[in-house]
Amino acid sequence: MTARQTIEAGKAILGIEFGSTRIKAVLIDEDNKPIAQGSHEWENQLVDGLWTYSTEAVWYGLQDCYADLRKDVQRQYDIEIESLAAIGFSAMMHGYMAFNEKQEILVPFRTWRNTNTGQAAAALSELFVYNIPLRWSISHLYQAILDNEEHVSDIKYLTTLAGYVHWQVTGSFVLGVGDASGMIPVDPQTKTYNQEMVDKFDKLVAPKGFSWKLLDILPKSLDAGENAGFLTPEGAKKLDVSGHLKAGIPVCPPEGDAGTGMVATNAVKQRTGNVSAGTSSFSMIVLEKDLSKPYEMIDMVTTPDGSPVAMVHCNNCTSDLNAWVNLFKEYQQLLGVPVDMNEVFGKLYNNALNGDPDCGGLISYNYISGEPVTGLAEGRPLFVRSANDKFNLANFMRAHLYASVGVLKIGNDILFKDEQVKVDRITGHGGLFKTKGVGQRILAAAINSPISVMETAGEGGAWGIALLAGYAVNNTENRSLVDYLEEVVFAGNTGTEIAPTPEDVEGFNTYIEAYKAGLAIEQAAVTAKK
C-alpha cells in the first residue's frame, strides 16, 4: 500500500506524546514508517510556586496537535483521516493529577519538575528501603498529606498525564506498567504495584482516616500489548474537533516518555540502554539483575513489558544551552544577517569540538530548575570561569554541551563504576543529537561508552508510542516486545556508532571534577538570589 492508501483504508497508526515543550503526533504505516506529523508548542507555568500545565492547555494542545497532523495529511495526500488501526498516548512521566468522583481535577497538575516533595520522598525511601524520587506520584501524594492539604480526602482517582488523557478518551482508567512504575514501584514478577509497599503506605496513612486505600485510587497497571480500551464517541470529538475521526479505535496502554524512548531506540532488551536528551535528560539501562542497594541518584522503573530498569533522571539538559544559542541568534539579527536556526546550532556545536577536551577550565551550571541528583532544591543558571582559563567560543560552547550531560555522568558513574553494570549498546535520542555527531561524541566522552544514534532518533517518543500501539494490534505471531522490536520494527538496524576517544574521556573527567567541586558556588547562588 502507498501511504495514501494506508490512511484511506484506516490502517495507519497514531502516536501522540506530550513533551515538556512540544506535543507531537506521528502517523505510521504498516511498515512502522512515519508518513505524517503534527505538533503544538507549549510551556509549563509556575503557579503558586509549583510547575504546572492547565487541563485547558492539555486539551487545546492535543486538539491543535491533531489538527496540525490533519493539515499535513491533507497537504501530502489530499485526504481526511476517518479511522485508524490503533492509537497510543504518552507523556512526561510521574507528577500528580488527582481527581474527585466527578472526575474534576482537585489541584493543578503538579509536573515532574517540582522539587517540593523532599520530606515525603525521604520518608518513603526509608519506609520502603527503596529510592523514591521527588517527582514520583507517591511522593506528591504523601507530601500533600504531610502538608494537610484538604483535597486529599476527596481523591477518587490519581494518575499521570498520559493516564489522564487515555482515561478521558477511552473511559479506561489504566496505565502501561512503565508509567505505573513511576507512581509507586511495581513488582517485575507480577507487573503491578508492589503489594508490600502498598500495604506499608496504607498503614502509614491509616491514622488520617481517609475513605480510600491506595489501590482504590491508582490506575490498573497493564503490560505492553494488553487491551487498554477503545476510543469513545466523546473521546473522538476531544481529539478531532472537526468530527471526521470515528470512534471504536483500539488504544494501547498509555506510557511515560521513558518507556517510549526505550521503544524508539530498541532498548527494551537486557544489557541495552538509551539516553534521552532534550529539555530534561535521562538514561535508562535495562538490568540483568537488581542493584546491590538503593541509590538516591538512581530510580528503579520498568520497561513497557515489565523488566527492571536503572534510570538516572536529570531535571535540566538543553534549556540553558538553547538560551545561549538564542543570544547568538539575536546578535546575528542585530548585524542584519538572515537567521537559520539549524545553521546556528550546527556552526556553534561543531565549533565546540575544536575546544580543549577539558573546556579550558570553563564550567557551566545549566540549572533552570532544581536538580535532585546533585542536591539542589532550586536552580540558578551560572557560567563560571577564572581569569586564567581559556575563554574562547569553542571552549564556551563545549562547556555548555558538557553541562547538558554532566549530571547524567555523575549518576551513571555509579552504575558503571560502582555496580559494574554491563551494557552492549546505548542509543541516544532527543534534541541534543540533532546536529550530527556532536552530542553523540560529547555523551560518549561523558559515560565512556560507544553511543549509537539512529536515523529515526528525531521521531522520538511519539513514534515510540505509535510502535507500542502497533504492537497491541499487529503482533499476530505473539512475539515478546523485545522480539517484535528486534525482528519486525528494526530488523537488525542499530544506527551509527561513535566511540569515545581517550582524550575526550580524560578531558570530561577533568571537567566533571571541577564541576562537582564548584557545586558550592551554585548552592550559594540559590541561597543569595531568592
Side-chain angles (χ1 to χ4, degrees):
M1 280 190 180
T2 64
R4 189 178 197 277
Q5 290 169 328
T6 299
I7 297 167
E8 276 187 313
K11 297 285 183 69
I13 293 171
L14 173 63
I16 295 181
E17 181 159 280
F18 291 76
S20 308
T21 57
R22 189 165 66 131
I23 304 169
K24 185 175 179 183
V26 171
L27 203 63
I28 63 172
D29 64 15
E30 291 182 287
D31 293 324
N32 303 299
K33 302 289 190 297
I35 52 176
Q37 296 189 11
S39 67
H40 169 82
E41 305 289 325
W42 71 337
E43 276 291 345
N44 53 192
Q45 308 296 319
L46 191 62
V47 179
D48 296 329
L50 293 171
W51 292 104
T52 187
Y53 302 85
S54 69
T55 52
E56 292 80 11
V58 170
W59 294 112
Y60 175 75
L62 176 66
Q63 290 160 3
D64 189 55
C65 177
Y66 186 83
D68 194 45
L69 173 76
R70 277 183 61 230
K71 282 183 198 165
D72 191 37
V73 168
Q74 289 164 344
R75 181 182 59 79
Q76 288 194 73
Y77 312 113
D78 194 30
I79 50 172
E80 267 292 351
I81 306 170
E82 301 285 348
S83 188
L84 296 161
I87 302 173
F89 296 101
S90 171
M92 302 166 273
M93 280 180 74
H94 322 115
Y96 183 78
M97 297 193 85
F99 300 85
N100 62 20
E101 61 182 350
K102 295 179 183 176
Q103 299 186 18
E104 298 165 333
I105 196 161
L106 292 167
V107 290
F109 168 36
R110 295 172 182 177
T111 78
W112 58 270
R113 199 167 202 171
N114 291 296
T115 54
N116 64 306
T117 55
Q119 185 185 357
L124 293 175
S125 296
E126 186 176 346
L127 179 68
F128 297 157
V129 195
Y130 197 99
N131 179 42
I132 303 299
L134 301 179
R135 66 189 180 282
W136 280 17
S137 304
I138 196 71
S139 296
H140 284 279
L141 174 61
Y142 190 46
Q143 191 65 51
I145 292 170
L146 291 175
D147 293 341
N148 294 310
E149 294 193 44
E150 290 183 9
H151 79 271
V152 176
S153 59
D154 296 327
I155 296 175
K156 177 71 175 173
Y157 306 97
L158 180 64
T159 189
T160 66
L161 179 55
Y164 167 62
V165 173
H166 180 97
W167 173 37
Q168 294 301 300
V169 301
T170 65
S172 297
F173 191 61
V174 298
L175 267 190
V177 62
D179 206 9
S181 71
M183 297 197 79
I184 185 171
V186 303
D187 182 338
Q189 302 305 315
T190 63
K191 300 186 182 182
T192 190
Y193 306 106
N194 184 298
Q195 189 61 52
E196 183 185 348
M197 296 183 194
V198 167
D199 293 341
K200 282 183 176 180
F201 184 84
D202 283 338
K203 185 178 178 183
L204 177 68
V205 303
K208 296 287 185 180
F210 299 127
S211 61
W212 50 263
K213 293 275 185 70
L214 188 57
L215 290 185
D216 297 336
I217 63 175
L218 294 182
K220 182 182 179 184
S221 173
L222 297 179
D223 200 0
E226 285 195 77
N227 178 6
F230 300 86
L231 191 67
T232 62
E234 298 78 18
K237 287 173 189 166
K238 275 181 175 284
L239 182 57
D240 179 14
V241 293
S242 76
H244 285 89
L245 190 64
K246 294 181 173 66
I249 300 164
V251 187
C252 73
E255 266 299 348
D257 51 2
T260 57
M262 285 186 268
V263 171
T265 54
N266 193 19
V268 176
K269 190 177 182 180
Q270 290 182 357
R271 291 176 65 113
T272 64
N274 81 88
V275 170
S276 172
T279 306
S280 64
S281 70
F282 52 80
S283 63
M284 315 286 293
I285 307 296
V286 189
L287 302 176
E288 296 177 280
K289 59 180 182 178
D290 290 336
L291 300 179
S292 63
K293 61 179 182 179
Y295 291 92
E296 194 175 342
M297 294 180 185
I298 298 169
D299 310 343
M300 294 303 301
V301 291
T302 78
T303 61
D305 60 350
S307 293
V309 176
M311 178 183 194
V312 177
H313 183 282
C314 312
N315 279 3
N316 302 280
C317 185
T318 59
S319 294
D320 188 44
L321 177 59
N322 292 344
W324 282 106
V325 172
N326 280 327
L327 205 64
F328 290 114
K329 177 192 80 170
E330 285 186 41
Y331 174 66
Q332 201 165 320
Q333 288 172 326
L334 206 59
L335 294 177
V337 178
V339 173
D340 176 338
M341 286 309 290
N342 287 329
E343 184 183 22
V344 174
F345 273 101
K347 294 279 189 190
L348 290 170
Y349 275 36
N350 279 293
N351 187 51
L353 299 182
N354 298 322
D356 296 306
D358 65 353
C359 306
L362 311 183
I363 303 173
S364 168
Y365 295 98
N366 61 338
Y367 297 0
I368 299 286
S369 61
E371 191 55 81
V373 173
T374 48
L376 274 296
E378 295 179 48
R380 301 288 184 273
L382 287 179
F383 175 69
V384 181
R385 69 184 179 103
S386 70
N388 297 324
D389 292 333
K390 298 176 186 174
F391 186 45
N392 57 47
L393 183 59
N395 281 338
F396 179 81
M397 287 306 300
R398 192 166 182 129
H400 282 88
L401 283 163
Y402 275 21
S404 66
V405 294
V407 179
L408 204 62
K409 174 184 173 53
I410 293 169
N412 276 280
D413 278 352
I414 293 171
L415 293 176
F416 298 132
K417 292 181 180 178
D418 299 350
E419 289 284 334
Q420 299 292 305
V421 168
K422 298 290 185 284
V423 180
D424 296 327
R425 185 182 76 246
I426 296 177
T427 306
H429 63 116
L432 185 67
F433 304 104
K434 281 185 180 174
T435 300
K436 196 169 182 178
V438 180
Q440 201 174 349
R441 180 172 155 185
I442 298 295
L443 182 61
I447 60 178
N448 194 14
S449 172
I451 303 295
S452 297
V453 170
M454 299 183 184
E455 290 298 321
T456 50
E459 306 299 345
W463 185 57
I465 192 65
L467 296 180
L468 284 171
Y471 178 66
V473 295
N474 290 336
N475 185 26
T476 51
E477 297 183 22
N478 291 319
R479 290 176 168 96
S480 68
L481 180 60
V482 168
D483 288 345
Y484 180 82
L485 293 173
E486 195 75 43
E487 297 166 14
V488 177
V489 177
F490 292 95
N493 175 24
T494 56
T496 305
E497 184 178 272
I498 289 181
T501 67
E503 296 78 20
D504 281 354
V505 172
E506 185 182 349
F508 206 112
N509 286 338
T510 301
Y511 173 90
I512 208 67
E513 288 308 313
Y515 179 100
K516 288 190 285 189
L519 283 167
I521 307 169
E522 174 69 19
Q523 182 59 65
V526 170
T527 305
K529 189 174 186 294
K530 288 294 184 185

